[in-house]
């Protein structure tokens, strides 16, 4: 978890002025499944200053085929959030 509290009133040289990432929380899990499958998922909560919060969900499913080759499928931003 990250929290940012910006004290400066005017940051003329900042390209993120007024839209900085105030809250950022990331939770990730990973689990080994039968038959050499692995499932990973990430939940990311983001809240920019004076903007609505955004929830980003991603996942990845991998299948280990042999010692040197892994096949995977992944999805990012499954809720189709604009951020």
């Amino acid at each position: 978890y990250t929290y940012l509290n910006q004290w400066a009133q005017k940051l003329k040289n900042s390209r993120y002025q007024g839209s900085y990432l105030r809250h950022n929380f990331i939770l990730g899990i990973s689990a080994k499944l039968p038959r050499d499958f692995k499932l990973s998922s990430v939940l990311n909560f983001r809240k920019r200053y004076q903007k609505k919060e955004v929830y980003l969900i991603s996942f990845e499913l991998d299948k280990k085929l042999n010692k040197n080759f892994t096949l995977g499928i992944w999805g990012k931003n499954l809720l189709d959030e604009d951020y």
Side-chain angles (χ1 to χ4, degrees), residues 4-68:
L4 175 64
N5 190 5
Q6 186 174 356
W7 291 93
Q9 295 297 321
K10 294 182 180 179
L11 296 176
K12 294 179 182 178
N13 296 329
S14 174
R15 67 180 184 170
Y16 301 110
Q17 180 179 4
S19 183
Y20 61 90
L21 189 59
R22 175 163 268 187
H23 298 276
N24 189 28
F25 176 79
I26 301 171
L27 176 66
I29 60 169
S30 180
K32 289 185 179 183
L33 303 174
R35 299 186 180 194
D36 290 326
F37 280 97
K38 179 182 173 187
L39 177 65
S40 302
S41 184
V42 175
L43 169 66
N44 187 329
F45 168 77
R46 294 180 177 185
K47 173 77 170 86
R48 293 197 174 277
Y49 181 68
Q50 297 181 342
K51 304 264 181 170
K52 81 174 191 84
E53 63 272 356
V54 175
Y55 295 91
L56 303 174
I57 297 175
S58 303
F59 88 97
E60 184 173 349
L61 181 65
D62 294 325
K63 165 70 172 151
K64 189 167 186 170
L65 300 177
N66 62 37
K67 183 175 130 180
N68 298 315

